[in-house]
């Protein structure tokens, strides 16, 4: 029974990882709601607030949003934001990039996938 | 409209000014104990991660204080909603003071508020046309703040620090509930409204 449970957990973890890499299973509409409710106090798509603006974040190098005062750790991280790196960051940002100012964790994998799907939709650059 | 006014009167009865002093004093009283519990005295650098998290939370509180002030000064809020907004602003001032003191006691420098112009832009104040617009902005902010405090708790270095964040999250959740009632919106039927 223990073996079965472990296998299920491994499969679930693998599925989550694959989903995060592809971003294929996320629901962008649901992600928009989760983004507003869970990320929206610090972030918005178009404006730098407590955290940096997120339009065009997928594919962007970490720490390069114009006009936002990043931590030195994030600026130096050399990370490119894609589904996999965003998924890892949202799980535990300070574990992935020690010294980042963000401490918020989105622990539910399906909610992370939905948020990533939403962010992938927001690909246009920030309006000047 | 009469039902709405009655609903707001009920809200005001629920949120007496005594709540503010109790909350503010209670949380403020935790700040020095918090620093001691982390094993750091005043002026001694604590975990930079905790200081950074507290400063992000402090940034949220600065923004909330200014948002409620902008709402109060807009002329769009009518009593008793105006009074409710000012009470909530007072709660956020209490949170601000607690967080700023904790940052100081942990050896950090508390983040300062941004300018009014910066908040006007980031909060998209130009889009606020009536009382319900302001209530919806406040409701969205309170929901986000409650979720933010819940979301940072696992990253904090001490249980006492997490407890302070839990207290503030409970205040924000209470604000969200009252604003949702003022907007006459239904409370979600599913469990886990926050987090």
């Amino acid at each position: 029974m223990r073996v079965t449970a472990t296998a299920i957990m491994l499969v679930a973890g693998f599925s989550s990882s694959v989903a995060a890499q592809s971003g294929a299973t996320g629901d962008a509409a649901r992600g928009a709601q989760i983004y507003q409710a869970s990320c929206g106090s610090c972030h918005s798509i178009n404006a730098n607030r407590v955290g940096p603006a997120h339009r065009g974040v997928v594919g962007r190098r970490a720490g390069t949003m114009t006009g936002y005062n990043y931590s030195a750790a994030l600026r130096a991280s050399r990370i490119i934001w894609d589904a996999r790196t965003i998924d890892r960051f949202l799980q535990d940002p300070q574990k992935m990039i020690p010294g980042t100012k963000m401490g918020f964790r989105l622990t539910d994998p399906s909610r992370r996938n939905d948020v990533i799907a939403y962010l992938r939709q927001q690909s246009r650059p920030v309006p000047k | 409209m009469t039902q709405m006014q009655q609903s707001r009167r009920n809200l005001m009865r629920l949120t007496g000014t005594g709540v503010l002093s109790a909350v503010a004093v209670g949380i403020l009283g935790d700040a020095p104990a918090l620093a001691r519990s982390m094993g750091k005295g005043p002026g001694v650098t604590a975990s930079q991660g905790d200081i950074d998290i507290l400063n992000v939370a402090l940034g949220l509180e600065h923004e909330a204080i200014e948002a409620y002030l902008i709402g109060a000064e807009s002329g769009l809020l009518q009593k008793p909603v105006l009074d409710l907004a000012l009470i909530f602003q007072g709660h956020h001032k209490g949170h601000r003071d607690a967080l700023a003191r904790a940052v100081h006691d942990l050896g950090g420098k508390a983040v300062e508020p941004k300018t009014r112009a910066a908040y006007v832009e980031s909060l998209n104040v130009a889009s606020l046309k009536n009382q319900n617009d302001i209530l919806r902005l406040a409701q969205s902010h309170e929901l986000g703040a409650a979720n933010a405090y819940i979301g940072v708790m696992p990253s904090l270095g001490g249980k006492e620090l997490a407890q302070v964040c839990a207290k503030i999250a409970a205040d924000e959740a209470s604000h969200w509930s009252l604003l949702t009632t003022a907007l006459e919106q239904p409370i979600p039927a599913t469990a886990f409204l926050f987090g």
Side-chain angles (χ1 to χ4, degrees):
Chain A
M1 179 62 85
R2 182 177 296 171
V3 171
T4 305
T6 304
I8 290 170
M9 287 167 62
L10 284 171
V11 169
F14 177 74
S15 300
S16 168
S17 173
V18 170
Q21 288 181 46
S22 66
T25 61
D27 181 320
R30 209 164 46 217
Q33 294 180 334
I34 296 167
Y35 178 87
Q36 186 56 44
S38 294
C39 317
S41 59
C42 292
H43 293 277
S44 79
I45 291 299
N46 290 324
N48 289 328
R49 297 179 54 214
V50 174
H54 277 150
R55 185 174 297 287
V57 67
V58 176
R60 184 193 302 160
R61 180 174 165 175
T64 58
M65 180 66 217
T66 305
Y68 184 75
N69 181 27
Y70 288 95
S71 65
L74 201 71
R75 282 199 308 272
S77 68
R78 305 179 67 85
I79 286 168
I80 303 296
W81 292 126
D82 58 19
R84 185 179 59 84
T85 53
I86 294 172
D87 186 64
R88 279 181 59 209
F89 191 65
L90 288 175
Q91 282 184 60
D92 187 345
Q94 297 196 337
K95 181 179 179 185
M96 181 178 176
I97 307 177
T100 180
K101 290 187 278 188
M102 178 159 146
F104 178 85
R105 300 183 193 183
L106 193 58
T107 52
D108 184 327
S110 70
R111 286 161 65 87
R112 286 199 305 274
N113 277 340
D114 291 341
V115 168
I116 291 166
Y118 170 66
L119 291 175
R120 288 164 71 102
Q121 278 192 346
Q122 313 305 311
S123 56
R124 287 180 292 114
V126 174
K128 298 295 180 187
Chain B
M1 181 58 114
T2 305
Q3 187 183 0
M4 183 71 172
Q5 288 170 341
Q6 181 63 43
S7 153
R8 288 173 186 156
R9 277 195 291 275
N10 290 340
L11 285 173
M12 292 309 298
R13 278 197 289 274
L14 284 169
T15 56
T17 51
V19 175
L20 167 61
S21 57
V23 169
V25 170
I27 293 179
L28 281 169
D30 279 345
L34 174 64
R36 284 195 300 275
S37 73
M38 299 291 288
K40 313 288 180 183
V44 178
T45 301
S47 160
Q48 189 61 43
D50 284 346
I51 291 170
D52 289 341
I53 291 170
L54 290 172
N55 262 331
V56 168
L58 183 54
L60 288 180
E61 298 297 341
H62 285 317
E63 185 177 72
I65 291 164
E66 194 67 15
Y68 278 113
L69 183 60
I70 289 170
E73 292 176 351
S74 69
L76 297 172
L77 295 184
Q78 298 141 23
K79 282 181 172 286
V81 171
L82 174 61
D83 297 330
L84 191 68
L86 292 173
I87 289 171
F88 289 178
Q89 188 201 37
H91 294 168
H92 287 291
K93 287 179 177 176
H95 302 161
R96 171 201 63 193
D97 294 343
L99 292 168
R101 186 180 298 186
V103 168
H104 175 267
D105 288 350
L106 291 169
K109 184 177 187 304
V111 69
E112 296 289 332
K114 297 179 181 176
T115 63
R116 165 66 67 95
Y119 288 122
V120 165
E121 182 180 354
S122 65
L123 294 168
N124 197 15
V125 169
S127 68
L128 305 176
K129 306 297 185 193
N130 54 48
Q131 177 167 279
N132 273 8
D133 287 345
I134 295 175
L135 287 174
R136 278 191 288 269
L137 172 66
Q139 179 198 38
S140 173
H141 193 289
E142 299 289 3
L143 173 62
N147 287 337
Y149 279 108
I150 293 166
V152 300
M153 283 179 210
S155 297
L156 293 167
K159 291 179 180 175
E160 293 79 7
L161 199 53
Q163 187 180 35
V164 172
C165 286
K167 285 181 170 184
I168 298 177
D171 282 1
E172 319 296 37
S174 169
H175 295 171
W176 176 86
S177 299
L178 292 164
L179 291 164
T180 298
T181 304
L183 283 162
E184 298 189 322
Q185 294 176 352
I187 298 292
T190 54
F192 301 107
L193 276 60
F194 303 96

